Amino acid sequence: MASLRDIKNRITSTKKTSQITRAMQMVSASKLNRAEVNAKAFVPYMDKIQDVVASIAQGSTETHPMMTTRPVAKTAYLVITSDRGLVGGYNSNILRTVMARIRQRHTSNDEFVILSVGRKGRDFFAKQGMTILESAIALPDHPTFADIKEITRKAVGMFSDGTYDEVYMYYNHFVSAIQQEVTEKKVLPLTDIQATGATASYEFDPSAEAILEVLLPQYAESLIFGAVLDGKASEHAASMTAMKSATDNASELIDGLTLSYNRARQAAITQEITEIVGGAAALE
Amino acid sequence: MKTITVNIVTPDGPVYDSEVSMVIAVTATGEMGILPGHIPTVAPLGIGAVRLKKENSTELAAVSGGFLEVRPDKVTILAQSAELATDIDLSRAQESARRAEAMLQANKDDVDYQRAELALRRAKNRINVYEGNV
């Protein structure tokens, strides 16, 4: 049986760990709040741009290379993961989904490329020997559009110049603080644009093509930015849940250890009394 | 006096929402003034200042990239970045103008001139809007 001292040491160290995980849980909770606010601030922009794109797409016969499906020689997978661990199943869920999808669709590593947001995803795909064309790591906890502009610009640009012919995006969609769903979304080509509100018929200055030229890349970039915000909210939520269960497990462990500590203490006292009584009896 | 609602929205959240009597923006084809009752229009925006005229004052905003959508009762400006004159960080804009100028003058092969030039124009636009000389 472990000595009293050993048990005491374990209790102290577990308590310290639980203090840390509890603090991390609270930090994640406040980050989650802000991430939700950020995601909400983005909604009006997304809705509006979607409305305008939809009304142009429906109102005119114009087609744009970004809206037409072409034969696929290469596919790009944009995968949004976190930079660090301690987020429960956040990264593994997404990476598992992407791997399953890749195995199902492709037979060789030459048929697709990876665009990675987040260090975990980049490291994982690099280890699998897959081509990573672009990666954005060390994003702040609350990214602004300027932070991810670089990768969205390249992701859209490489579609336009024919490096790849379609782009799928994978991220954890934030459902609630305890639930996140791995979501697959086809970003490019933009084939299903649906209006959220009433559409209007517009005058175009100078022309519908010129506007699509500006609008579509911006729209595709916004889709990606939206997913990054959504993914960040999920990341903070996942981290909060993971840290909560770590804290719960630690307190369970402490309860168990305290029980055995008390038993050991009692046993030691009983033994001491027996020894004293035995010693006194021997003297008589 | 008739007014029209103006919204300036960026991916990082709404920047401006108010009633004004006239909006003047720099579009790809030149300056465009919008009064209440304008026909529904969409036009891409350049890097420039948006002037928001109220009855007896004018507000300025620095806008870069994006487009302008006009509906009968509402003007929406969707830009990748937009700041009101009062929110502009002048020292940051001056710093990035200096950086862009240095890059343009460095005359190296690995410099992306187009991007440096755009950065310079954005920075100058911010400075101009901040100082109110547009």
Side-chain angles (χ1 to χ4, degrees), chain A residues 15-77:
Chain A
K15 260 188 189 150
K16 285 204 173 119
T17 312
S18 83
Q19 268 171 2
I20 294 170
T21 54
R22 183 169 294 127
M24 285 170 82
Q25 179 199 338
M26 276 172 334
V27 169
S28 295
S30 79
K31 280 183 182 166
L32 171 63
N33 275 337
R34 246 197 83 191
E36 275 187 280
V37 171
N38 286 352
K40 230 168 253 165
F42 174 67
V43 170
Y45 179 84
M46 194 65 223
D47 281 353
K48 203 75 215 173
I49 200 165
Q50 198 154 0
D51 271 1
V52 178
V53 171
S55 60
I56 297 179
Q58 283 162 8
S60 76
T61 51
E62 298 300 334
T63 52
H64 186 275
M66 283 177 76
M67 292 169 78
T68 42
T69 314
R70 57 191 190 219
V72 176
K74 216 163 209 173
T75 307
Y77 292 95

Side-chain angles (χ1 to χ4, degrees), chain A residues 181-251:
Chain A
E181 255 169 26
V182 176
T183 308
E184 178 196 48
K185 204 175 206 172
K186 189 172 186 179
V187 188
L188 289 165
L190 298 158
T191 44
D192 54 337
I193 298 169
Q194 269 148 15
T196 51
T199 59
S201 59
Y202 296 104
E203 288 281 303
F204 299 112
D205 175 40
S207 66
E209 304 102 82
I211 291 182
L212 285 181
E213 200 64 48
V214 177
L215 201 52
L216 290 180
Q218 206 173 340
Y219 177 63
E221 288 179 17
S222 315
L223 281 178
I224 300 174
F225 181 59
V228 171
L229 287 183
D230 203 343
K232 276 286 170 190
S234 305
E235 181 188 327
H236 297 313
S239 149
M240 189 179 90
T241 320
M243 287 305 117
K244 187 178 176 344
S245 52
T247 313
D248 291 350
N249 289 342
S251 28

Side-chain angles (χ1 to χ4, degrees), chain A:
Chain A
M1 197 167 123
S3 77
L4 274 182
R5 199 192 180 82
D6 286 345
I7 300 178
K8 188 134 205 189
N9 280 344
R10 279 195 66 194
I11 292 179
T12 330
S13 78
T14 315
K15 260 188 189 150
K16 285 204 173 119
T17 312
S18 83
Q19 268 171 2
I20 294 170
T21 54
R22 183 169 294 127
M24 285 170 82
Q25 179 199 338
M26 276 172 334
V27 169
S28 295
S30 79
K31 280 183 182 166
L32 171 63
N33 275 337
R34 246 197 83 191
E36 275 187 280
V37 171
N38 286 352
K40 230 168 253 165
F42 174 67
V43 170
Y45 179 84
M46 194 65 223
D47 281 353
K48 203 75 215 173
I49 200 165
Q50 198 154 0
D51 271 1
V52 178
V53 171
S55 60
I56 297 179
Q58 283 162 8
S60 76
T61 51
E62 298 300 334
T63 52
H64 186 275
M66 283 177 76
M67 292 169 78
T68 42
T69 314
R70 57 191 190 219
V72 176
K74 216 163 209 173
T75 307
Y77 292 95
L78 186 110
V79 186
I80 298 169
T81 57
S82 71
D83 278 334
R84 49 181 198 88
L86 299 176
V87 285
Y90 178 84
N91 290 315
S92 49
N93 283 344
I94 224 162
L95 296 175
R96 198 180 323 118
T97 313
V98 177
M99 282 308 282
R101 194 42 65 91
I102 286 177
R103 287 218 187 85
Q104 182 190 332
R105 282 209 193 119
H106 306 287
T107 47
S108 107
N109 279 3
D110 302 329
E111 293 171 14
F112 61 91
V113 292
I114 304 284
L115 306 167
S116 161
V117 175
R119 183 173 285 127
K120 288 278 165 189
R122 189 197 61 175
D123 293 352
F124 174 80
F125 290 113
K127 206 177 265 173
Q128 306 287 320
M130 295 167 176
T131 324
I132 300 169
L133 271 192
E134 208 48 65
S135 67
I137 53 169
L139 286 181
D141 280 324
H142 305 293
T144 61
F145 191 65
D147 293 321
I148 64 136
K149 201 165 181 236
E150 190 70 17
I151 190 163
T152 57
R153 197 175 57 88
K154 284 183 181 156
V156 175
M158 284 191 283
F159 174 81
S160 304
D161 68 24
T163 311
Y164 38 72
D165 309 292
E166 54 179 359
V167 182
Y168 288 93
M169 174 165 77
Y170 293 85
Y171 63 99
N172 274 305
H173 171 56
F174 177 79
V175 182
S176 71
I178 49 161
Q179 197 190 351
Q180 296 91 39
E181 255 169 26
V182 176
T183 308
E184 178 196 48
K185 204 175 206 172
K186 189 172 186 179
V187 188
L188 289 165
L190 298 158
T191 44
D192 54 337
I193 298 169
Q194 269 148 15
T196 51
T199 59
S201 59
Y202 296 104
E203 288 281 303
F204 299 112
D205 175 40
S207 66
E209 304 102 82
I211 291 182
L212 285 181
E213 200 64 48
V214 177
L215 201 52
L216 290 180
Q218 206 173 340
Y219 177 63
E221 288 179 17
S222 315
L223 281 178
I224 300 174
F225 181 59
V228 171
L229 287 183
D230 203 343
K232 276 286 170 190
S234 305
E235 181 188 327
H236 297 313
S239 149
M240 189 179 90
T241 320
M243 287 305 117
K244 187 178 176 344
S245 52
T247 313
D248 291 350
N249 289 342
S251 28
E252 223 168 89
L253 203 60
I254 290 169
D255 286 350
L257 285 171
T258 314
L259 200 64
S260 36
Y261 175 77
N262 287 339
R263 281 213 186 107
R265 191 174 56 94
Q266 260 177 350
I269 292 167
T270 314
Q271 195 185 351
E272 215 170 298
I273 292 173
T274 324
E275 274 164 12
I276 292 167
V277 171
L283 285 179
E284 274 168 19

